[in-house]
């Protein structure tokens, strides 16, 4: 995901928006990465959060929310805008570590699948064209399945 917000947006501001404006029980992501590359765990990975809509109203928990980890990068990566190099490196590390953790916990050696939000919900442009470029590159670099 991208937050579709200015780079100066804080994790607290995102959480407040999700709770007060959208009526969600908490922040919609499991992990948020700031422009400087700081990684914030905002929900335990087993928590079902509200980060993907799958053809349903946004306030309902979709099928994908039960079986996925929502990672958001602060910023708006529509058009030519790209995540910072620090965000990309932190994302690479987070995706690799989450993959290793899931394999360890489940005993399943299959790699996780890496998807951009809009690949699961065609009603959104998230994570923007710049964000999708990063998703595609990470799939290739980490040999992860996913995509449509």
């Amino acid at each position: 995901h991208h937050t579709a917000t200015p780079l100066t947006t804080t994790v607290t501001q995102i959480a407040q928006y999700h709770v007060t404006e959208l009526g969600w029980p908490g922040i919609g992501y499991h992990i948020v990465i700031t422009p400087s590359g700081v990684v914030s765990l905002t929900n335990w990975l087993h928590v079902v959060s509200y980060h993907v809509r799958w053809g349903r109203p946004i306030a309902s928990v979709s099928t994908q929310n039960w079986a996925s980890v929502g990672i958001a990068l602060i910023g708006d990566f529509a058009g030519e805008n790209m995540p910072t190099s620090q965000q990309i490196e932190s994302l690479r590390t987070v995706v690799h570590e989450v993959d290793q953790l899931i394999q360890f916990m489940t005993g399943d050696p299959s790699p996780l699948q890496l998807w951009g939000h809009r690949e699961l919900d065609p009603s959104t442009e998230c994570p923007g064209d710049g964000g999708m470029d990063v998703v595609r590159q990470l799939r290739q670099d980490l040999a992860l399945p996913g995509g449509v």
Side-chain angles (χ1 to χ4, degrees):
H1 298 275
H2 70 157
T3 58
T5 61
L7 293 173
T8 55
T9 303
T10 67
V11 175
T12 300
Q13 289 171 320
I14 296 164
Q16 288 172 338
Y17 172 75
H18 286 181
V19 172
T20 60
E21 298 296 320
L22 300 180
W24 296 354
I27 192 168
Y29 312 114
H30 295 92
I31 296 167
V32 177
I33 303 175
T34 69
S36 63
V38 172
V39 176
S40 296
L41 179 66
T42 55
N43 276 304
W44 296 112
L45 299 184
H46 68 275
V47 170
V48 178
S49 66
Y50 284 32
H51 60 94
V52 176
R53 175 176 37 171
W54 187 274
R56 298 182 182 160
I58 196 73
S60 71
V61 179
S62 76
T63 303
Q64 291 303 311
N65 289 331
W66 285 92
S68 61
V69 174
I71 303 171
L73 280 61
I74 293 177
D76 187 344
F77 309 122
E80 307 267 332
N81 298 330
M82 293 292 292
T84 66
S85 59
Q86 296 96 328
Q87 283 177 310
I88 294 169
E89 283 310 307
S90 291
L91 179 61
R92 178 184 312 279
T93 300
V94 165
V95 168
H96 175 75
E97 294 298 322
V98 168
D99 184 38
Q100 295 299 302
L101 178 64
I102 290 171
Q103 287 183 40
F104 173 77
M105 292 182 72
T106 64
D108 182 352
S110 304
L112 63 83
Q113 296 181 19
L114 185 61
W115 298 85
H117 184 182
R118 68 181 176 199
E119 294 176 300
L120 300 173
D121 177 0
S123 72
T124 183
E125 288 298 314
C126 181
D129 293 341
M132 279 309 303
D133 288 345
V134 172
V135 168
R136 289 184 194 100
Q137 187 63 52
L138 284 178
R139 276 189 202 134
Q140 182 178 336
D141 293 351
L142 300 175
L144 296 174
V148 289

